[in-house]
Amino acid sequence: MAGVLTQMRRAAPALLRVQAASKAPLLASQTRFIQSSAALRHQAVNPGWPVMYSITYDKPGWDPEMELEYDVMPRDEFGVPAHIPPELSTTIRHTYYVPPQYYPFLKKLGDDTPELKPYMDKLMNGELTFDDYEEMFYLFAKPLKIHRPRIAMPYRTAEEMKKS
């Protein structure tokens, strides 16, 4: 095979000169080459599958599906992630946030009840802390009023009433 290719290479210039002179079609042996790309040496590549992305981690052999922390993050009573130490999380001033669409209602509530006004102003300004909330709650909490006539009485016969 190598000898045939060598002879063709030597004869190619002569054939081109003949073709140019005679305007006849060039007759040469046809060869077919199968094109193949180099095999990729990578962990995320499967032959015949397109590579969309590859994720690497700094911990070898770490499987994120085995970790449970990504599902529910433990938090303290203020909603701070539990991996932040209490020395740091307690220095953060935790306040309540209320969306602006509630401001008119809170303003009216503060205007109608003068004792609540400082708390409502703090809430609208984003300055109401948990301690303020507890103070407000216990100052203004009232026992639940139960309207007995609206609750149906259990049915008992006259004989049952006598037994009790």
Side-chain angles (χ1 to χ4, degrees), residues 7-75:
Q7 289 176 356
M8 285 179 59
R9 256 190 243 122
R10 286 185 190 149
L15 285 172
L16 288 174
R17 273 186 252 119
V18 171
Q19 182 192 14
S22 67
K23 302 289 186 204
L26 176 65
L27 297 174
S29 65
Q30 295 181 350
T31 57
R32 179 178 291 173
F33 294 102
I34 297 174
Q35 298 293 329
S36 64
S37 58
L40 297 174
R41 306 281 181 230
H42 194 270
Q43 64 179 358
V45 176
N46 292 327
W49 290 83
V51 178
M52 303 306 282
Y53 56 88
S54 172
I55 301 173
T56 57
Y57 299 100
D58 56 351
K59 247 195 279 185
W62 183 67
D63 185 11
E65 296 298 325
M66 296 299 288
E67 294 289 333
L68 301 175
E69 292 147 4
Y70 73 92
D71 195 7
V72 176
M73 183 181 291
R75 296 177 180 272

Side-chain angles (χ1 to χ4, degrees), residues 116-155:
L116 270 177
K117 185 150 180 59
Y119 298 105
M120 294 300 114
D121 291 342
K122 280 185 178 180
L123 184 57
M124 286 188 288
N125 294 332
E127 299 167 356
L128 187 77
T129 62
F130 183 69
D131 295 332
D132 293 332
Y133 171 75
E134 277 189 329
E135 178 187 324
M136 177 186 72
F137 179 81
Y138 288 113
L139 273 176
F140 298 102
K142 295 187 173 51
L144 183 64
K145 290 182 182 175
I146 299 174
H147 298 285
R148 197 69 188 145
R150 291 181 169 227
I151 299 174
M153 295 295 287
Y155 175 76

